[in-house]
């Protein structure tokens, strides 16, 4: 996994992006664990009973209003900042995690699509614009850097709006191979 598996899509340098919300870091968050740490651009899930945010772990999820987000920072960076600021790496309850709101109508881009398993779909032929998706976390490699965050063709909650080539052009116009897909929330 690399950072920014899921990231806001801003065509033509559009400065407006998704709303950023801040949530208390989950008590079990680490800076490197496979299901407890997170990088920027990872799926995050809000624990509505407690009010804190945690990484979404293996498998699929159908996003609902106010429960699925995309991290705008890594747990390692946030914990390091807290250590410098507070001198206390264990003060997780005071760390606020910035997250992009995926339900505000903004578009996001990813290079990873799955079909309800950890096998990646071909972005050219695996689906079409207008198909619906949910969230997917592939943990075929059981380390934090082995997790991939993408979309799941068998899920719901998002709709594919564009398919892009390596240059960021619409691949159906350029004729080049699709390397990224753009999607937005569509309940």
């Amino acid at each position: 996994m690399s950072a920014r598996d899921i990231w806001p899509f801003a065509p033509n340098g559009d400065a407006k992006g998704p709303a950023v919300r801040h949530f208390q870091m989950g008590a079990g968050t680490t800076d490197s664990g496979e299901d407890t740490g997170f990088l920027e651009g990872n799926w995050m899930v809000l624990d509505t009973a407690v009010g804190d945010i945690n990484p979404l772990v293996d498998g699929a999820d159908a996003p609902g209003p106010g429960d699925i987000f995309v991290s705008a920072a890594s747990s390692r960076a946030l914990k390091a900042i807290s250590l410098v600021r507070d001198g206390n790496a264990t003060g997780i309850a005071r760390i606020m995690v910035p997250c992009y709101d995926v339900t505000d109508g903004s578009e996001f881009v990813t290079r990873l699509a799955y079909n309800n398993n950890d096998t990646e779909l071909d972005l050219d032929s695996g689906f079409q614009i207008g198909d619906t998706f949910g969230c997917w976390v592939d943990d075929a490699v059981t380390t934090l850097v082995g997790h991939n965050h993408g979309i799941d063709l068998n899920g719901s909650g998002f709709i594919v709006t564009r398919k892009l080539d390596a240059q960021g052009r619409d691949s159906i116009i350029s004729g080049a191979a699709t390397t990224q897909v753009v999607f937005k929330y569509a309940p």
Side-chain angles (χ1 to χ4, degrees), residues 122-139:
D122 179 304
L123 298 182
D124 276 317
S125 61
F127 58 91
Q128 303 298 321
I129 293 172
D131 283 352
T132 57
F133 284 87
C135 306
W136 184 265
V137 178
D138 163 13
D139 73 346

Side-chain angles (χ1 to χ4, degrees), residues 25 27 29 31 75-96:
M25 183 180 280
T29 302
D31 56 5
S75 56
R76 178 172 288 175
L78 293 170
K79 289 182 79 175
I81 290 167
S82 178
L83 178 60
V84 169
R85 182 185 63 226
D86 299 333
N88 181 359
T90 61
I92 288 178
R94 296 193 321 231
I95 299 174
M96 299 302 285

